[in-house]
Amino acid sequence: MITTLQPGKELDRVSCEAVDKIRFLIEQRKRFGLLIEDAASDSWNIIETVRENVQAEQGQFLSLSAPEFGEASLSGLLYAALKDTREGREFRINLPMILQNNPKTDSPFINRAILWQRLCDGIIEDENSARPTALVLEQFDLAGHTPQHDLARLIRFHAKHHIRRTFLVTIRRESLPMLTPELRELVDLEINT
C-alpha cells in the first residue's frame, strides 16, 4: 500500500517504483540495497513510505543518518538503536565495557571488540524471522571508509547467521565511485530515484 505522506503530495511514479523494489528486497529477505539519489529525488518520502509499510506489518524499522555519526561508530549507533526498540528490557547477554580513563584497563581495541560482541549478541537475540526488518542508513556517502567496512561486516554477519534484516543505504549518484569494493560486491539491488 502506498500512502500520501505530505499533505496534498503523493509519490510520483519513480518513487512508487522505488518503494516497490525496496519492499521486494525486504519480502525476499535480501540483505543490501542501494537507493541512488539524483538531485531531484524525493528519498525522504520513499523512506517514510517504507517505514509505514514495515511498521504496518509489525516489522522493525531503524534509521540512522551518516551526518549524525560524528565520532560514534556504526556498531555503537546500531547497538543503541536496538536497545531503544526493546523498551527498557535489557539484552540477556550484555558484556560490560572496559572502564575508560583507567591506564590499566583503557584500550580502544578491546572496547571496540566488546562493543561488536555486544552488538552481535543483541542482533541474534533480537531476531524474529517472521518479522520484516529494515535498517536504513541515510546519506551514507558522507560516512567515510570505516563505516563502509563496518556495514560490510554487519551484512556478512547477518548472512552467516541467517538473520532477516535488509540494509538500505541512500547515496548520491555522484558518490557511487566512493563505495569500497568490499561493500560494492554485497549489493543485491540498486534502486534509482
Side-chain angles (χ1 to χ4, degrees):
M1 175 192 313
I2 305 300
T3 59
T4 301
L5 294 167
Q6 293 178 352
K9 183 175 182 184
E10 293 184 9
L11 294 177
D12 61 20
R13 181 188 58 76
V14 172
S15 296
C16 286
E17 289 174 4
V19 168
D20 289 342
K21 289 177 181 178
I22 295 167
R23 288 185 65 186
F24 170 81
L25 277 172
I26 295 168
E27 289 168 2
Q28 296 300 310
R29 299 176 180 229
K30 300 292 183 184
R31 300 275 181 246
F32 183 38
L34 281 179
L35 184 63
I36 303 167
E37 302 173 305
D38 285 325
S41 294
D42 191 11
S43 62
W44 185 85
N45 272 337
I46 293 169
I47 300 301
E48 283 301 301
T49 302
V50 170
R51 180 189 59 77
E52 285 185 358
N53 288 327
V54 168
Q55 290 178 340
E57 297 173 22
Q58 277 62 54
Q60 181 186 71
F61 181 90
L62 303 171
S63 179
L64 301 172
S65 181
E68 296 171 0
F69 284 13
E71 294 297 314
S73 66
L74 177 59
S75 55
L77 291 171
L78 180 54
Y79 181 73
L82 282 174
K83 275 184 75 171
D84 286 347
T85 66
R86 297 187 56 84
E87 299 170 351
R89 294 174 296 140
E90 288 293 321
F91 287 114
R92 218 171 11 94
I93 300 170
N94 202 6
L95 292 174
M97 296 299 284
I98 302 296
L99 296 174
Q100 295 184 359
N101 299 323
N102 182 339
K104 294 181 181 179
T105 60
D106 191 18
S107 169
F109 175 77
I110 292 173
N111 282 332
R112 178 176 158 86
I114 290 172
L115 180 58
W116 269 100
Q117 188 61 53
R118 288 173 114 189
L119 175 61
C120 292
D121 291 341
I123 287 170
I124 290 170
E125 184 177 332
D126 190 57
E127 170 62 0
N128 176 347
S129 61
R131 172 185 69 189
T133 305
L135 171 64
V136 177
L137 299 167
E138 297 181 63
Q139 300 174 322
F140 202 64
D141 46 327
L142 304 177
H145 288 286
T146 300
Q148 288 188 50
H149 171 72
D150 290 348
L151 177 58
R153 184 177 176 188
L154 276 170
I155 293 169
R156 288 191 301 270
F157 175 82
H158 280 71
K160 180 179 180 184
H161 294 281
H162 307 289
I163 295 170
R164 180 181 181 168
R165 177 170 282 114
T166 298
F167 293 86
L168 180 67
V169 166
T170 68
I171 187 170
R172 293 173 297 174
R173 180 169 309 285
E174 62 270 14
S175 299
L176 272 174
M178 294 189 312
L179 279 182
T180 62
E182 173 188 35
L183 193 57
R184 194 87 174 135
E185 72 182 21
L186 296 171
V187 174
D188 290 311
L189 183 63
E190 291 185 4
I191 304 161
N192 294 295
T193 62

